[in-house]
Structures are given as C-alpha cells and as structure tokens.
Amino acid sequence: MTREQTIIRTSIVGILANILLVVGKAIVGIIAGSISIILDAVNNLTDALSSVITIIGTKLANKKPDKKHPFGHGRIEYVTALIIAIIILIAGGTAIYESILSLIGGKTANYDNTTLIIVSAAILVKVVIGWFFTKMAKKTNSDALKGSGIDALFDALLSLATLVGALVAMYTNVFIEGYLGIVIGLFIIKSGVGVLQGAVSNIVGERSSKETALAIKETVNSFPEVKGSYDLILNNYGPTRAIGSIHIEVDDNLTAKEIHPLSRKIATAVYLKYGVILTVGIYASNSSNPTIQAIKKDVHNLLNEFKNIIQIHGFYVDEELKNVSFDIVIDFDEENPEGLVKEVIDKLKKLHPEYEFSVVIDKDITD
C-alpha cells in the first residue's frame, strides 16, 4: 500500500472501532446515569471525527502540485493535526464543565456487573487502537495518526479511572464520578496541548533531525571531489517532501565541465536515498598557496578564542582584490552575533591590514 492508502485504512479502522465504543458507552452511561461514561462516549465520538478529518486532510495533502502550490499540498497534514488538537482540547474542556455541573447537582450513578464488563472491554479496545495508530504513525510519519494514537492510549487510561470509580461506588457507596470527570478532562487537555505544540511547530518550520542532516552530509562527502559540505538547509513541504540546498567545497582548479556532472550526481544520490530535492552550491578552495595557508591558519587560531563560534568554512582569498571571505557557524546561544563578527573582523584587520574581510553568519542545523 502507498502511504496515503495506509493512513486512510488506519483511519477507517479507527472510525469503526470508535463508533462501536460510542454506541456501547452511551447506552451504558445513560442506563447507569454515569457522567464519566457518557463523557467517555463523547470523547470516542471526537476520536471518530478526528479520523474523518485525517482522511480528508490526507486526500487534500496528496493533491498534485499546481501553479499556485508548485511544491504540492503536503503541509495540509500539519493543518489536519492542528484541527485534531483543537477537537481534543474542546473535548477536554467539555468534560471538565459537565463534571463540575454534576458535582454541583449532586448526581450519582448506578453501576452493575454489565457496566463493568463493557467498560473493561472498552479499555482493551482503546489500548489496541492506540497501539495500532502509533505503529502506523511511525510507519507513515503522520502527525495526525500520532495524535490519534496518543489520544486513544489516554482514553484507555481514563476509562480505567472510570472503572475504578464504578468499583468504588459499588462497594463503598462513595461516588467520585464528578472528580474523575475533571481528571479525565485535564488529561484530555494535556494530550491536546501536546498535539497542538507539534502541529504548530511543524507549521512554523521545525529544524530537521540531526540524524537526517548528518546522514545527508555523509552521502555528499562520499564523493571524492568533495572536500567538505556546509550550509545544509532543508525546507519541509510535508512529511514526505523536502527541498533543500547545500554548499560543497572543491578545488578551485575544477572546471564547470567537471563541477556540473558532480553536482548532478550528488543531487541524484540524495534524492534517491532520502527523497530530498537538493540544490548544490560551490565553495572554491585555494588553500594550497603558502601565503593563503598562513592567513587561514591565523583565522583559525583567532576564531578558536571565541567559544560561540562552532565552525569556519568556505574560506577563499582573492589575491587581486585583497579580499578574504569565509562563513562562520555561530551557536544559537550567542546573544549578539553581529557584534561578534565585527570583533572578529577588527582583530583580523590588525593581523592583516592589507586585506579586507567578508564574513557571513551561518546557523548550525546539525547540533
């Protein structure tokens, strides 16, 4: 099955299972007069709705690229996860509200063995659904399925709380329904906040994992002509589509005729292995000249004095223009990167007053 088919079929399983739970819990909750069981049924209904939204979002996300959206519609999946998070939060708020009303009204529930059996069965079903959704979420890298899986596992835990409340009521005649409903609501809200944070982070633009970035660099560096790879940028257009760029350092004596097929081979290798469309930029290295080597050594020695400078790359000296250019990677903890660069340039000018220095600030996305 394709990724889209897997997500849709998983969601359909979730819809059918949750509808059965809604019907069973609603009947038992109404007969027993149990607010927590009724709320559990409502929560299962929102789970079914979440699965419907996941299917719609997946279908929309897999639409072909068009003139207005040349990189496809994959980010719709993040919007889907955002909507699911809002539904979860609404369900949690409703649970707390209704529970408080039941405490104020002094409502009590009547439990029997049938109630306990149905609630126990519901717990088992929810555990299975949660495990299944979580497994499929990892397989498909779907935030929507991940959110539904987390919610299902929380449901199982909260249904267990309902079961405990029923046992307490049956054997001690102490009714803790309303309090359990509030606890259920708080747990649901906590789950919703987690899903919401993940969705918003992806929409804003989350950095790629360190493992992915290092793996791509390792592939690029495997080509013998490449002396180093830097400035990797990955833009995410959905869980399965990323477009990025990278700079490679090569000897300055390579011709365009040699660089062109090299960049094509690198881009092809990265796409086949990671599914990333990569644009390859070039840094020329002319460090073989003894004078240039001496300047580079001075630059490295100076930059080692600054703890927030992680790396230097793209070093190049134009002897005719008397210009030294390079990029520095600055730690995110540095509060004043521009001031740091000015200090670096001032110190380098004192060492080599005959040269101008051009420094570009880079961010480290692999740490």
Side-chain angles (χ1 to χ4, degrees), residues 24 92 141 162 178 185 188 218 221 225 230 234 241 250-251 258 273 276 292 309 337 346:
N141 191 26
T162 301
I188 293 171
E218 184 178 353
N221 292 336
E225 301 93 336
Y230 312 97
L234 296 175
R241 179 181 291 271
V250 297
D251 286 328
E258 295 169 310
K273 196 166 184 179
V276 176
I292 294 174
I309 294 179
D346 289 344

Side-chain angles (χ1 to χ4, degrees), residues 10-289:
T10 302
S11 299
I12 290 173
V13 170
I15 292 170
L16 296 176
N18 278 303
I19 287 175
L20 289 174
L21 289 172
V22 169
V23 174
K25 287 182 180 180
I27 293 172
V28 171
I30 292 170
I31 293 173
S34 168
I35 184 65
S36 62
I37 294 178
I38 293 173
L39 289 174
D40 232 355
V42 172
N43 191 37
N44 290 145
L45 185 61
T46 63
D47 292 346
L49 178 59
S50 297
S51 292
V52 172
I53 293 172
T54 299
I55 291 173
I56 295 172
T58 302
K59 284 288 187 182
L60 292 174
N62 281 276
K63 285 174 60 180
K64 292 182 179 180
D66 53 39
K67 191 172 184 179
K68 194 172 182 179
H69 307 94
F71 301 118
H73 302 78
R75 285 179 176 169
I76 289 177
E77 287 199 31
Y78 303 143
V79 179
T80 301
L82 181 65
I83 295 171
I84 290 173
I86 293 171
I87 291 173
I88 295 171
L89 290 173
I90 292 172
T94 302
I96 293 173
Y97 176 74
E98 294 294 337
S99 297
I100 292 173
L101 289 182
S102 74
L103 288 173
I104 294 172
K107 295 179 181 178
T108 58
N110 297 308
Y111 298 107
D112 56 24
N113 291 331
T114 303
T115 302
L116 300 182
I117 292 171
I118 292 178
V119 172
S120 300
I123 294 171
L124 180 60
V125 171
K126 269 300 183 178
V127 169
V128 173
I129 292 175
W131 169 81
F132 180 59
F133 270 62
T134 303
K135 179 182 178 182
M136 291 299 105
K138 290 180 180 178
K139 182 178 180 180
T140 59
N141 191 26
S142 169
D143 283 346
L145 288 184
K146 181 181 178 182
S148 296
I150 292 171
D151 193 35
L153 291 173
F154 268 121
D155 287 348
L157 178 62
L158 301 174
S159 293
L160 179 61
T162 301
L163 181 61
V164 171
L167 289 170
V168 170
M170 287 179 67
Y171 292 104
T172 67
N173 206 33
V174 175
F175 296 93
I176 57 174
E177 276 277 273
Y179 301 105
L180 286 175
I182 292 173
V183 173
I184 287 173
L186 291 174
F187 269 98
I188 293 171
I189 288 175
K190 182 178 183 295
S191 173
V193 169
V195 177
L196 181 67
Q197 288 175 333
V200 170
S201 182
N202 278 317
I203 291 171
V204 171
E206 202 173 55
R207 72 189 295 174
S208 298
S209 70
K210 180 178 180 179
E211 291 73 18
T212 299
L214 291 177
I216 290 175
K217 283 190 172 186
E218 184 178 353
T219 298
V220 173
N221 292 336
S222 66
F223 289 84
E225 301 93 336
V226 177
K227 303 180 72 173
S229 58
Y230 312 97
D231 306 331
L232 175 63
I233 297 173
L234 296 175
N235 298 308
N236 193 320
Y237 288 91
T240 61
R241 179 181 291 271
I243 297 173
S245 61
I246 194 169
H247 277 100
I248 60 171
E249 185 174 348
V250 297
D251 286 328
D252 63 348
N253 58 9
L254 285 184
T255 64
K257 186 177 180 180
E258 295 169 310
I259 292 173
H260 176 78
L262 173 62
S263 62
R264 288 297 183 98
K265 285 189 289 185
I266 291 172
T268 301
V270 170
Y271 180 75
L272 292 176
K273 196 166 184 179
Y274 308 101
V276 176
I277 300 172
L278 199 64
T279 299
V280 181
I282 302 297
Y283 284 137
S285 174
N286 63 348
S287 300
S288 57
N289 182 301

